[in-house]
C-alpha cells in the first residue's frame, strides 16, 4: 500500500457517505439500529486515520433530509444514537484537538438535541488539528436553495446587483463556505451515487466507491481510499501534459 502520510497528495477535505448500516445489520439478522451503532466504530476509525494523515476537514453524511421518510421507530433510534454519540464522543474530540461543526437544518431536531449540538461545537471550538463536519438533516438541494435565498435577499435589500452573482458568490453562501471544497468523496455499501450530498461542492471531487458496508470500513479501508486518491491525477479541465508542465 502507498504510504500517504505527509504526502502532498493527501486530500485537504474528505467527504464520506456512510452507507450500508441497515444492510450490515440485516445480514446478521439484527435490527437496523444495530448497524448504526456498529457504524460508530467506523466513524472513530475514519477520524483517526484522517487526523493522522494530515486531512484538514472530514465531512460525514450522518442524516439526510430524506431520511425522515424512514420508519418512525428507526428515526427515533437514530436521534437517540446521535444524542448519545454527541455526549459520549465530544470530549474525545476535544482531547485530540479536533473541532466539531454540524451543518444542516437543525430546527426539525428536538430542543435537547439542538442544545447538545451547540454544546459540542462550543466545547471543541478551539480544535486546530482537524475539523470534523457532521451533515445532519442536510441535503445538497437545500444547501443551494438557502444560498440562493440569501443572495436574493441581498438583491432585494439593494446590497447586490443580479449581475454580480457568480459561482464564488454562491459558494460563499453554502453551509461549507469556510472550508476548502472536498477533494475526495467516499461512499461505502456498494452504491454509486452521491444521493443529494454536497451537490455543488463535489463538482471536481474524486469519487471512491467501496463494496464494504460502513460498519466494516475501518482503518485499513480508509487508508486504502487515501492511497487510491494519492495515485490519481487531478486535471480540473486541463490536459495531462499541462499538469506535468506545471509540476
Amino acid at each position: 500500500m502507498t504510504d500517504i502520510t505527509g504526502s502532498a497528495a493527501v486530500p485537504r477535505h474528505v467527504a464520506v457517505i456512510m452507507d450500508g448500516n441497515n444492510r450490515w445489520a440485516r445480514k446478521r439478522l439484527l435490527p437496523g439500529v444495530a448497524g448504526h451503532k456498529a457504524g460508530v466504530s467506523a466513524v472513530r476509525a475514519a477520524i483517526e486515520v484522517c487526523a493522522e494523515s494530515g486531512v484538514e476537514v472530514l465531512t460525514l453524511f450522518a442524516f439526510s433530509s430524506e431520511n425522515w421518510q424512514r420508519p418512525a421507530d428507526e428515526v427515533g433510534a437514530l436521534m437517540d444514537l446521535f444524542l448519545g454519540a454527541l455526549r459520549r464522543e465530544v470530549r474525545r474530540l476535544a482531547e485530540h484537538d479536533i473541532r466539531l461543526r454540524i451543518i444542516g437544518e437543525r430546527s426539525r431536531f428536538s430542543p435537547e438535541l439542538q442544545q447538545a449540538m451547540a454544546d459540542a461545537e462550543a466545547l471543541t471550538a478551539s480544535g486546530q488539528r482537524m475539523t470534523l463536519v457532521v451533515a445532519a438533516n442536510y441535503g445538497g438541494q437545500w444547501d443551494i436553495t438557502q444560498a440562493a435565498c440569501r443572495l436574493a435577499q441581498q438583491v432585494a435589500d439593494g446590497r447586490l446587483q443580479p449581475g454580480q452573482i457568480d459561482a464564488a458568490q454562491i459558494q460563499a453562501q453554502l453551509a461549507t463556505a469556510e472550508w476548502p471544497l472536498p477533494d475526495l468523496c467516499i461512499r461505502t455499501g456498494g452504491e454509486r451515487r452521491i444521493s443529494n450530498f454536497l451537490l455543488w461542492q463535489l463538482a471536481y471531487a474524486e469519487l471512491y466507491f467501496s463494496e464494504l458496508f460502513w460498519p466494516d470500513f475501518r482503518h485499513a479501508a480508509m487508508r486504502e481510499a487515501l492511497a487510491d486518491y494519492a495515485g490519481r491525477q487531478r486535471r480540473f479541465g486541463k490536459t495531462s501534459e499541462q499538469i506535468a508542465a506545471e509540476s
Side-chain angles (χ1 to χ4, degrees), residues 22-170:
N22 277 337
R23 284 173 288 159
W24 182 93
R26 285 200 301 270
K27 188 176 179 180
R28 290 160 177 78
L29 304 179
L30 297 170
V33 70
H36 294 288
K37 289 180 179 178
V40 173
S41 294
V43 169
R44 292 194 194 108
I47 294 170
E48 290 169 7
V49 171
C50 286
E52 74 185 18
S53 300
V55 172
E56 297 175 23
V57 182
L58 171 63
T59 298
L60 304 177
F61 202 10
F63 191 83
S64 77
S65 49
E66 290 76 32
N67 285 155
W68 295 106
Q69 302 175 62
R70 294 191 173 191
D73 57 345
E74 180 180 347
V75 171
L78 284 171
M79 294 301 104
D80 290 342
L81 181 62
F82 190 16
L83 180 61
L86 278 175
R87 291 174 170 170
R88 185 176 57 253
E89 303 293 331
V90 66
R91 294 197 179 278
R92 187 198 303 262
L93 294 175
E95 289 168 3
H96 288 84
D97 200 26
I98 295 173
R99 180 174 65 147
L100 174 67
R101 292 293 303 278
I102 300 168
I103 60 173
E105 177 51 64
R106 300 191 192 190
S107 63
R108 194 165 178 181
F109 294 120
S110 69
E112 183 181 22
L113 185 49
Q114 291 183 53
Q115 186 61 54
M117 292 177 181
D119 291 344
E121 289 179 323
L123 185 63
T124 63
S126 62
Q128 297 293 318
R129 186 181 183 192
M130 186 178 76
T131 297
L132 172 64
V133 182
V134 174
N137 194 24
Y138 174 90
Q141 293 175 338
W142 165 84
D143 200 359
I144 295 169
T145 300
Q146 61 88 29
C149 287
R150 290 176 181 172
L151 291 172
Q153 188 61 57
Q154 291 183 34
V155 171
D157 294 342
R159 292 180 287 131
L160 185 69
Q161 293 299 313
Q164 295 176 304
I165 298 174
D166 56 13
Q169 290 273 1
I170 295 172

